Amino acid sequence: MHLDARERLRIADLLRLGHSMRRIALELGRHASTIKRELDRHRDAQGLYLPRTADHDARLQRARPKVHKLAANTRLRTLVQRKLNRFWSPDEICGWMKKTYPDDQTMRLCPETIYRALLLREDHGLHQRYATKLRTGRRIRKTRWRIRTGQGSRIRNMTMIDQRPAEVETRLEAGHWEGDLIVGVGSVSAMMTLRERKTQYGIIINLPLDHTAASVNAAAISAFAKLPTHLKRTLTWDQGVEMASHEELTKKTGVPVYLAERSSPWQRGANENFNGLARQYFPKGTNLAVHSVEHVSHVMRELNERPRKSLDYDTPAARFKAVRTAPAAALR
């Protein structure tokens, strides 16, 4: 979110009072890096920060038209289109290019650039027909930051997924969870889902009234309270506003929360897969509040008692029971 004129006036006032950049960031509810960038860009040669001048210059800079990478680079665009025609995902395309052209920065881009070019109604360089090559086949995308009507809730003090312990990726250690919500019709009712990465064991808790940060915290605390310590190592979630109280969740459960990048569901692949399975029982566009606790528990048992190829056709329930009862030292 861009700084507005009022925030720039406050920055100038707090600078005159001798406050540090970190103190200013705290007063404004912004990251310290945001304040540093603002001052680096808009201080004059004498180091003076003029808020009205800074606001005027920032508006002019934002108004400059920008040629998007895929529109400007014909070679890059052609290569992306060829891979999309072969049904490669944006993540696969970007990873392949990074490996194939390690020293050519002109052949680098991120998956989000491809998604935006395909799914936003703007000329970012790719024709809309290539959107049908995506797994979902969707043709339009409404991203959270484009439809927001106000500043909304922001998650403070986030610990991002790239700071997560390396052992989470290996799936050799139990106790690392991924979480999310599946939402009912009208975004009123919801269910919280958790999935353990090593055993693929899943937990579903119904939230029939709302899915605020307080309700999600209460559900997660209840779920983790039933687990031994060695099965409470990490939790990975997306940047939904239901995680606004993640620090309180960690304080109550002892489980550190790591947040995935925006619009990157592949970073929580285990949970996304579990949500897809749960949707067979709780379809989109339905009222999730009508399901009883007993029915939700029954569905959870059915999902956890299905044999999985990735577990050599063991069930998640059997694998989870084994690691739950085993001594912690034997799980490493």
Side-chain angles (χ1 to χ4, degrees):
M1 297 290 291
H2 299 295
L3 291 169
D4 58 28
R6 180 173 293 184
E7 287 177 306
R8 289 189 166 98
L9 288 169
R10 288 190 64 193
I11 290 173
D13 290 341
L14 293 170
L15 282 173
R16 282 193 291 271
L17 292 173
H19 289 355
S20 67
M21 283 189 285
R22 290 189 179 279
R23 177 69 182 277
I24 294 171
L26 186 63
E27 292 283 343
L28 268 66
R30 294 281 192 168
H31 288 293
S33 59
T34 301
I35 306 303
K36 183 179 186 304
R37 284 194 299 270
E38 172 70 13
L39 297 177
D40 287 345
R41 288 170 182 164
H42 299 300
R43 273 177 167 157
D44 61 18
Q46 288 73 42
L48 186 64
Y49 178 75
L50 302 174
R52 297 191 185 279
T53 302
D55 193 61
H56 174 73
D57 291 346
R59 290 177 183 273
L60 291 179
Q61 290 167 5
R62 288 201 297 272
R64 293 175 185 171
K66 180 181 178 182
V67 179
H68 295 280
K69 196 168 186 178
L70 285 166
N73 189 333
T74 303
R75 180 186 174 206
L76 179 64
R77 182 173 66 253
T78 301
L79 186 57
V80 170
Q81 289 172 168
R82 287 176 179 172
K83 299 304 182 185
L84 286 170
N85 268 331
R86 296 173 61 185
F87 298 101
W88 285 31
S89 72
D91 184 63
E92 290 168 342
I93 294 170
C94 297
W96 177 84
M97 285 196 297
K98 184 176 181 181
K99 189 173 182 179
T100 305
Y101 304 100
D103 302 319
D104 188 350
Q105 293 298 318
T106 66
M107 300 299 287
R108 297 282 186 88
L109 74 167
C110 66
E112 182 64 18
T113 301
I114 299 177
Y115 279 115
R116 281 175 169 265
L118 290 173
L119 302 177
L120 300 183
R121 296 306 191 197
E122 300 168 3
D123 183 14
H124 286 195
L126 292 177
H127 194 278
Q128 294 290 311
R129 67 176 178 271
Y130 290 102
T132 61
K133 303 297 182 178
L134 297 176
R135 181 177 61 84
T136 61
R138 69 182 67 173
R139 293 174 179 269
I140 191 168
R141 183 188 207 186
K142 294 181 179 179
T143 58
R144 293 177 186 175
W145 53 88
R146 288 176 64 85
I147 62 174
R148 183 177 291 169
T149 56
Q151 284 198 5
S153 299
R154 292 195 295 270
I155 301 177
R156 310 292 185 188
N157 302 320
M158 295 190 295
T159 304
M160 298 305 295
I161 192 170
D162 59 359
Q163 299 178 51
R164 196 172 62 173
E167 54 266 24
V168 179
E169 292 296 328
T170 66
R171 301 188 185 228
L172 297 176
E173 181 180 69
H176 299 290
W177 297 82
E178 295 176 0
D180 196 12
L181 298 179
I182 56 174
V183 182
V185 62
S187 297
V188 178
S189 57
M191 292 182 179
M192 184 193 77
T193 62
L194 298 170
R195 197 179 203 186
E196 202 282 316
R197 286 174 57 84
K198 178 180 179 179
T199 63
Q200 299 187 25
Y201 185 83
I203 295 173
I204 306 174
I205 298 179
N206 203 1
L207 304 173
L209 300 179
D210 60 56
H211 44 94
T212 62
S215 296
V216 172
N217 266 15
I221 290 168
S222 173
F224 283 122
K226 301 171 185 176
L227 302 177
T229 302
H230 65 270
L231 288 181
K232 297 187 289 186
R233 301 185 191 274
T234 66
L235 173 62
T236 303
W237 207 281
D238 65 14
Q239 293 184 41
V241 294
E242 67 273 8
M243 276 293 109
S245 301
H246 66 94
E247 291 174 295
E248 182 68 17
L249 175 58
T250 297
K251 182 179 178 181
K252 292 290 181 64
T253 63
V255 181
V257 177
Y258 298 90
L259 298 177
E261 301 292 343
R262 285 180 178 237
S263 304
S264 303
W266 58 87
Q267 294 183 344
R268 300 176 298 100
N271 183 258
E272 286 292 309
N273 176 267
F274 186 67
N275 286 351
L277 298 175
R279 281 296 191 185
Q280 294 177 303
Y281 299 86
F282 309 117
K284 291 183 179 180
T286 62
N287 181 9
L288 302 181
V290 302
H291 301 288
S292 66
V293 174
E294 291 76 15
H295 178 61
V296 174
S297 297
H298 171 74
V299 170
M300 197 174 90
R301 283 194 302 273
E302 282 208 350
L303 291 175
N304 286 319
E305 290 174 0
R306 287 167 58 174
R308 302 294 162 81
K309 182 178 180 180
S310 58
L311 298 177
D312 196 22
Y313 296 103
D314 282 350
T315 67
R319 290 288 181 98
F320 190 73
K321 181 179 179 181
V323 298
R324 181 169 186 157
T325 57
L331 300 173
R332 296 182 179 277

